[in-house]
Amino acid sequence: MTSTELNRPVNASAGEEGWGVVDTVLEGLARQGRSALTECSAGLFANLAGSSADSLILFGAGPLGKFTLAGLRRAGVEPKAFTDNNPELWNQSVDNLRVMPPAQAAEQYGERAAFVVTIYNGSGVRRQLRDLGCRAVIPFAALFWRYSDIFIPDSGLQLPQTILQSSSEIDACYEILADDLSRRELREQIKWRCTLDFDVLSPPSSPRNIYFEPDLIRYRDDEVLIDCGAFDGDTVRSFLGLPERKFKHVYAAEPDPANRIAFQNFVGGLPDMVRRCITLWPYAIGKQDGKVGFRVTSTAASRIDKSDYYEVECRSLDSLLQERGLTPTYIKMDIEGAEPAAIEGAAETLRNAMPVLSACLYHRCEHLWQIPLLISRLAPEYKLFIRRYAEECWELVCYAVPVSRLA
């Protein structure tokens, strides 16, 4: 793609030449229709794996590796082994699958198995495996396309032909973004998600700035932060480390019991004057008040799940904040796919208080364009930005910033 094509102006009506965002970044592939995109996604894994498509090694025995293994078993596929850089796992079993040292796995299977990298931010591991002599090294996204009926859309990925169906929404999202970096990120994300071509992606921003992007936001001394999806205190830890670390109060919502204990242990080690300014709520955050099913994992992946038997109390921010007479200045949402519902449940707060909002976009592929459009519809005065803090499509955040808070 030429730089002229990549920077071609795009508008919601697709322009006089009929170009839209999807059409532009896919260099006409979208014009060939769903059949061309379907063929591309269906055949990618086989093309990368070659004759090794039926013999798999999974690199990464952590949560993503376990998720991949469970899905493959549902499809009737049993990998040969895990491999992992953690020596404590070597020669052990994870979910009844042996874990091999990478060098041993490469020596034994490098020429006759497909090594699927089942970790996020996997570029370093892909290089490692190639350096070890592995012939077929494949990102997990290509495997998920191959078994799309099992892995999609819960993996945060989507088939390209489905993305094509949202072309008009993507165009509309492109138009409302406030800067060139955001529009570039949207273009690159669409192309990567439709082709899995890693070369189209610009380097990510520094992960230490996630949720609190200093190039976008001017901080206040009396900040009132609402941390939705507080996990073990990782966001509060980052917030306290900001150069402008003066604040009024932090209210953190975390429904997972084990995560709350970890959060309380973290806060317990803070100075007393800081500790008194942090409040922990045991709530899930959503569109309305009530009980919801919740999948407890004791990790950052705990989430609302209607099919789960474990129930927690869910609160809308509008109801919760009004009840307590609170006016937030900053809201962060990393709630494993519940962001759109939580944003709708905060509509009055966004319109009336105009806090900075940082909301994750990567838990569902369509959130990339749907969440900015939703914020714009609810509170059109915001300036909207997209920033990414990891490889591929992970740690992708939408910032809604009032003009008065722009850096």
Side-chain angles (χ1 to χ4, degrees):
M1 182 186 303
T2 68
S3 59
T4 301
E5 287 173 327
L6 191 61
N7 293 302
R8 183 189 301 271
V10 179
N11 58 46
S13 61
E16 61 183 13
E17 297 183 7
W19 283 75
V21 174
V22 174
D23 221 8
T24 302
V25 300
L26 296 183
E27 301 178 86
L29 183 60
R31 291 179 173 180
Q32 299 176 37
R34 293 179 61 189
S35 60
L37 289 167
T38 301
E39 183 178 349
C40 171
S41 60
L44 181 60
F45 178 79
N47 290 338
L48 294 174
S51 60
S52 304
D54 295 327
S55 182
L56 304 181
I57 302 289
L58 305 183
F59 190 111
L64 181 58
K66 295 176 183 178
F67 173 77
T68 305
L69 175 61
L72 287 172
R73 284 173 170 167
R74 286 164 54 196
V77 177
E78 184 67 19
K80 297 294 184 183
F82 275 124
T83 184
D84 200 286
N85 280 332
N86 181 0
E88 294 184 3
L89 297 177
W90 294 351
N91 303 314
Q92 307 296 317
S93 290
V94 172
D95 291 350
N96 297 314
L97 187 68
R98 62 175 173 157
V99 183
M100 303 177 67
Q104 179 185 347
E107 180 179 4
Q108 185 171 344
Y109 291 105
E111 290 292 329
R112 56 193 182 93
F115 282 69
V116 180
V117 178
T118 51
I119 64 170
Y120 299 109
N121 305 313
S123 60
V125 166
R126 292 194 295 272
R127 288 192 298 270
Q128 174 187 352
L129 290 172
R130 293 189 186 101
D131 290 344
L132 287 170
C134 299
R135 183 184 55 80
V137 179
I138 304 173
F140 68 87
L143 179 74
F144 286 9
W145 274 4
R146 168 66 179 82
Y147 297 101
S148 60
D149 56 328
I150 292 174
F151 292 113
I152 289 176
D154 291 338
S155 61
L157 301 169
Q158 188 51 271
L159 292 172
Q161 58 266 31
T162 303
I163 294 174
L164 178 59
Q165 296 173 350
S166 298
S167 293
S168 60
E169 290 181 87
I170 295 168
D171 288 347
C173 177
Y174 187 92
E175 281 300 306
I176 63 175
L177 296 176
D179 70 345
D180 289 340
L181 286 178
S182 300
R183 290 186 285 270
R184 184 189 72 183
E185 187 64 48
L186 178 61
R187 291 193 302 263
E188 292 176 355
Q189 282 295 314
I190 294 302
K191 186 160 190 178
W192 182 81
R193 291 164 188 259
C194 288
T195 66
L196 301 188
D197 178 359
F198 291 85
D199 291 337
V200 306
L201 294 173
S202 300
S205 301
S206 172
R208 68 175 177 268
N209 293 332
I210 188 170
Y211 313 127
F212 306 104
E213 181 53 64
D215 291 340
L216 296 178
I217 301 155
R218 181 170 56 84
Y219 293 96
R220 297 170 46 158
D221 290 341
D222 61 345
E223 211 79 77
V224 177
L225 170 67
I226 310 296
D227 180 8
C228 305
F231 183 40
D232 62 0
D234 56 344
T235 299
V236 175
R237 189 178 295 111
S238 298
F239 178 70
L240 295 178
L242 292 173
E244 301 86 350
R245 63 174 297 168
K246 295 180 181 179
F247 69 101
K248 184 176 180 180
H249 208 95
V250 172
Y251 298 91
E254 176 52 58
D256 185 302
N259 290 346
R260 285 202 305 275
I261 292 173
F263 185 98
Q264 290 167 333
N265 290 338
F266 157 65
V267 173
L270 296 174
D272 184 62
M273 63 179 297
V274 176
R275 191 167 59 246
R276 288 197 302 265
C277 297
I278 299 175
T279 300
L280 179 61
W281 293 328
Y283 307 131
I285 303 299
K287 184 176 181 178
Q288 56 194 18
D289 296 346
K291 296 287 187 179
V292 295
F294 194 81
R295 181 168 297 182
V296 174
T297 68
S298 304
T299 70
S302 296
R303 66 185 187 273
I304 292 175
D305 186 339
K306 295 179 180 179
S307 65
D308 205 283
Y309 67 91
Y310 186 84
E311 286 191 335
V312 301
E313 186 174 356
C314 181
R315 299 297 306 269
S316 77
L317 284 182
D318 283 345
S319 169
L320 182 61
L321 299 177
Q322 183 179 18
E323 178 183 284
R324 287 162 170 74
L326 300 176
T327 301
T329 65
Y330 208 114
I331 298 174
K332 164 257 179 177
M333 293 182 180
D334 186 352
I335 45 180
E336 303 303 305
E339 288 85 1
I343 290 169
E344 289 194 80
E348 291 300 319
T349 300
L350 296 179
R351 282 192 288 262
N352 296 332
M354 291 292 289
V356 173
L357 171 64
S358 60
C360 287
L361 299 177
Y362 63 92
H363 297 115
R364 301 272 298 204
C365 178
E366 62 272 20
H367 288 180
L368 173 62
W369 54 89
Q370 288 181 352
I371 286 178
L373 288 172
L374 173 61
I375 297 169
S376 180
R377 176 174 61 82
L378 295 176
E381 296 83 3
Y382 277 111
K383 297 295 183 181
L384 300 173
F385 304 86
I386 295 175
R387 295 293 186 269
R388 175 170 50 90
Y389 300 93
E391 296 177 6
E392 301 152 11
C393 63
W394 320 115
E395 307 299 352
L396 198 63
V397 175
C398 176
Y399 292 93
V401 186
V403 172
S404 62
R405 297 289 305 272
L406 290 171

